[in-house]
Amino acid sequence: MHGRRLATLDEIVGLAAPESAKIIDMVESWAKSNDIGLTVLDVGEDITDEHIEREKTTLGISIGGDGTFLEAARSFAPFQIPLMGINSGTLAFLARVEPLDVEDALTAVYRGRASINARQQYEVTAGDINTTGINEMFLQKHPPEDRYGTKVGSLHVFVDKEYVGKYFGSGLIVSTPTGSTGRAYSNGGPVHYPQNNRTLQIIPHETISAAVDPIVVSQDSEIDIVLDSDFDIDIDGGRQFERLESDTVVHISGANQPVQTVRTPYDDAFISAMVDKLDWGLRTVDNDGPRSALEDNITSSDFKERAARVAREAARSAGEPLQELHGQVENIQYKTDKSDIVTEADYQANDIIETAINSEFPDHIVQSEENDQTVPTEGYAWIIDPLDGTGNFAHGNPNYSISIALLKDRIPVVGVVYAPEPADMFYAIDGRGAYQNDHKIEPTSRSQLDESMLLSGYDPSGEFLQAFYHETQGVRRLGSAALNLAYVASGSADAVWEHDTHPWDVAAGLCLLREVGGRTTDQYGSSYELSFNATDQRTPLLASNGSVHEQLISHIDTSDLMSE
Ligand code: IPD
Ligand code: CA
Ligand code: CA
């Protein structure tokens, strides 16, 4: 399923059609009671930098029908602000939140229960027109001067410089997936599911040629249309309209900036809107049988699966700002010493993950490296490191990760380690194996030190390096404890040593390793336990594929380098 989560909300900027006072009042009182800033402008007014605070998470709303939504889409797109459409019109496909659901929909966004989807726009130049649109561009033969003149014109179409042919008729439509339910549909075009669908389609309008079918092309295709007669160009149902002379070249392709639309559980589903508004024969509005069956499936799939899904979604959402800030960290704070750092990125990722978990599991405690909660001794709770490998991150090195674990009675039962740069998602569910990007993983089966490749985390006096460097095929220091464990679980290293670990560094990785049959102990071979000791939670960890563990322990024992 597409769609990332909108995890936080600081302010709302709205564009409202005339006669929307009632809905504006509702939004105003909701914003006031949730302490969220609100600015509402009249449709037609320009949104500028003055209205939008860059460092805040802003939600754009349109209040009106589809026309207002389209205007708002154009205004918000340059700021990459997600847009929610509140419908006060009648036939709306785009503004999909009904007035009665306004408060619930805003609350859903506020609690992180909304997702953001991209809608393709097009870019067109012709004559004096140079604009973007979200629905369709319509070229219609300019009406004849007298009633005997022809209403039929012709034009030539090229896609990526390849000649498609000469279209005869009253015109041509180039539409986005969003526009597919409008004029394009009335002229025999297919309906496109609009979310995250990046295409354009070319549809003849009242053609007089037989067998001219619509063509669907990619958003990157360059479409050139050369006019044989005078045509009128109409952008998004009248937003811009102009007469074009014969021989004009119309150039159209997908726009770089999509419109970010917000979906909440209160949006009319797309197919239901089709059934309702276009009287589709596939099913009735009340008969959403197959959908209910799907939902039953989802509710019957169990709690840990759901928790793993939420954790993966939260990790992906938190990965986005991390990738944006990666390598441009200016503001570093030092916690205890020069290597113990925290940045704005750690806090942003932390907020996103906490919000996502809180909204799905409001009764669960979330302990994080960046908060002062503690996992209770019994029941379910979460432990997270929103950014593991902050040192690498701040220096622009891609070896950093997000670690999220669900614990039951302080034992990890779900573990997610996500590395945003390579987009590597490692996860494990108690009793159900461990995965990397949905492929089952397993560790190596090496049992001999001289065949093995080891990893080392924090090793302040270099004791692990000294003990093992010449005994093995190498000891690598990468910089994220959570990711090191994921690498051992998935077979790209045979073992890892960390001089001290906090529970948030390793809880998710321990779950991965347990699921693949790895072993986790201290340097003497005693079983590793997560420590929730209030004063010092640091514990040494030796983790391996399982089969090389005995040799590791006996070498530590004989080398005498690592015993304290
Ligand atoms: C650190 C990293 C590092 C490990 C340290 C951790 P942070 O976490 O995981 O690899 O050796 O012990 O504290 O501070 O980047 O979250
Ligand atoms: Ca860490
Ligand atoms: Ca951290």
Side-chain angles (χ1 to χ4, degrees):
M1 181 148 57
H2 293 278
R4 70 183 164 92
R5 229 166 228 279
L6 178 70
T8 51
L9 175 61
D10 303 315
E11 61 166 15
I12 298 174
V13 177
L15 271 190
E19 294 174 26
S20 305
K22 249 191 180 161
I23 298 179
I24 297 174
D25 283 351
M26 286 159 90
V27 176
E28 240 166 31
S29 76
W30 182 91
K32 206 165 166 203
S33 57
N34 288 283
D35 206 15
I36 305 276
L38 173 71
T39 313
V40 180
L41 306 170
D42 291 336
V43 64
E45 279 187 72
D46 280 337
I47 295 173
T48 64
D49 282 329
E50 262 174 56
H51 304 115
I52 286 158
E53 287 196 46
R54 291 273 171 187
E55 49 306 334
K56 292 197 168 168
T57 308
T58 306
L59 170 73
I61 58 171
S62 72
I63 305 173
D66 280 354
T68 312
F69 184 92
L70 290 172
E71 197 52 45
R74 213 175 47 82
S75 314
F76 285 116
F79 299 94
Q80 291 292 287
I81 285 180
L83 175 62
M84 181 170 100
I86 300 170
N87 175 24
S88 68
T90 44
L91 188 74
F93 283 99
L94 298 167
R96 303 234 295 266
V97 175
E98 296 299 324
L100 271 179
D101 294 327
V102 167
E103 283 158 0
D104 290 337
L106 289 169
T107 305
V109 174
Y110 184 55
R111 298 223 171 116
R113 300 179 118 248
S115 62
I116 304 175
N117 291 282
R119 286 201 181 212
Q120 175 65 42
Q121 296 198 98
Y122 63 87
E123 224 163 53
V124 59
T125 52
D128 294 335
I129 289 199
N130 180 357
T131 189
T132 55
I134 193 180
N135 261 350
E136 82 279 286
M137 179 219 58
F138 176 33
L139 290 169
Q140 186 172 29
K141 169 77 176 56
H142 186 73
E145 300 301 324
D146 60 61
R147 64 197 172 99
Y148 306 109
T150 176
K151 295 192 181 73
V152 175
S154 63
L155 37 80
H156 301 270
V157 175
F158 299 79
V159 173
D160 286 336
K161 307 263 183 287
E162 182 183 349
Y163 185 46
V164 177
K166 185 170 180 174
Y167 286 69
F168 283 105
S170 67
L172 191 83
I173 300 154
V174 178
S175 114
T176 63
T178 300
S180 73
T181 49
R183 194 170 251 144
Y185 180 70
S186 329
N187 284 274
V191 168
H192 288 241
Y193 198 80
Q195 251 89 256
N196 306 303
N197 177 351
R198 299 193 168 92
T199 54
L200 293 175
Q201 53 177 342
I202 305 167
I203 295 136
H205 184 260
E206 293 170 4
T207 176
I208 54 169
S209 313
V212 186
D213 292 321
I215 305 175
V216 178
V217 300
S218 107
Q219 61 164 346
D220 303 321
S221 300
E222 307 281 337
I223 304 169
D224 288 300
I225 304 163
V226 184
L227 308 182
D228 261 354
S229 13
D230 288 6
F231 277 80
D232 294 325
I233 183 170
D234 177 341
I235 304 295
D236 282 355
R239 193 166 56 70
Q240 262 180 287
F241 189 91
E242 194 174 304
R243 178 174 176 174
L244 301 175
E245 308 270 307
S246 169
D247 288 335
T248 303
V249 179
V250 179
H251 180 80
I252 178 162
S253 66
N256 292 334
Q257 275 171 345
V259 171
Q260 314 273 1
T261 60
V262 174
R263 285 201 68 176
T264 70
Y266 298 92
D267 284 35
D268 245 357
F270 176 73
I271 300 296
S272 296
M274 291 293 299
V275 174
D276 196 12
K277 287 162 185 156
L278 296 182
D279 214 8
W280 256 23
L282 294 179
R283 63 170 170 88
T284 62
V285 185
D286 305 332
N287 173 15
D288 58 354
R291 199 172 142 242
S292 320
L294 202 73
E295 274 165 5
D296 286 349
N297 248 344
I298 291 166
T299 43
S300 68
S301 76
D302 85 359
F303 168 76
K304 285 181 214 160
E305 294 277 357
R306 184 172 142 235
R309 216 167 32 238
V310 170
R312 292 201 300 274
E313 231 178 75
R316 268 199 205 95
S317 300
E320 287 181 20
L322 292 187
Q323 282 189 284
E324 273 163 32
L325 294 168
H326 181 220
Q328 352 167 352
V329 172
E330 281 151 16
N331 193 359
I332 295 177
Q333 294 161 38
Y334 298 93
K335 286 181 171 173
T336 50
D337 61 42
K338 71 174 172 19
S339 63
D340 191 6
I341 59 177
V342 63
T343 65
E344 179 51 32
D346 297 60
Y347 296 129
Q348 276 196 29
N350 190 69
D351 278 359
I352 290 173
I353 300 166
E354 279 194 32
T355 309
I357 296 174
N358 287 335
S359 79
E360 293 291 333
F361 303 101
D363 303 334
H364 291 182
I365 299 268
V366 181
Q367 178 178 350
S368 159
E369 179 175 11
E370 310 309 339
N371 71 24
D372 46 19
Q373 297 282 355
T374 304
V375 164
T377 48
E378 283 180 3
Y380 285 109
W382 298 76
I383 185 151
I384 65 173
D385 187 343
L387 173 47
D388 186 56
T390 305
N392 280 347
F393 178 86
H395 286 90
N397 182 305
N399 198 277
Y400 65 91
S401 68
I402 292 162
S403 173
I404 303 178
L406 173 68
L407 312 188
K408 179 159 194 250
D409 304 340
R410 289 189 163 172
I411 308 288
V413 290
V414 168
V416 167
V417 176
Y418 178 55
E421 297 298 330
D424 263 338
M425 178 67 76
F426 297 91
Y427 70 97
I429 303 173
D430 185 27
R432 285 170 225 185
Y435 299 82
Q436 176 181 5
N437 301 330
D438 294 333
H439 300 293
K440 211 156 187 172
I441 52 172
E442 51 184 36
T444 60
S445 56
R446 292 187 193 105
S447 56
Q448 301 302 312
L449 279 186
D450 60 2
E451 302 174 333
S452 301
M453 166 74 78
L454 310 187
L455 303 176
S456 158
Y458 185 50
D459 180 22
S461 56
E463 50 192 359
F464 186 75
L465 193 68
Q466 283 184 56
F468 285 100
Y469 194 71
H470 295 293
E471 307 299 318
T472 59
Q473 299 214 343
V475 177
R476 303 280 186 262
R477 295 195 57 173
L478 303 181
S480 158
L483 209 45
N484 286 346
L485 292 172
Y487 290 153
V488 175
S490 58
S492 59
D494 301 294
V496 58
W497 160 251
E498 293 276 345
H499 174 81
D500 56 22
T501 57
H502 288 94
W504 49 78
D505 296 323
V506 295
L510 291 183
C511 189
L512 292 169
L513 264 180
R514 193 190 57 229
E515 285 307 306
V516 297
R519 221 176 129 193
T520 49
T521 67
D522 65 9
Q523 68 270 48
Y524 309 112
S526 306
S527 164
Y528 178 89
E529 306 288 340
L530 288 173
S531 163
F532 294 96
N533 184 325
T535 47
D536 190 3
Q537 306 185 332
R538 287 176 300 171
T539 325
L541 168 65
L542 182 66
S544 78
N545 60 3
S547 39
V548 76
H549 215 87
E550 282 311 323
Q551 286 218 352
L552 291 166
I553 298 288
S554 64
H555 183 68
I556 291 172
D557 202 24
T558 51
S559 73
D560 220 27
L561 271 163
M562 296 171 57
S563 336
E564 280 155 15

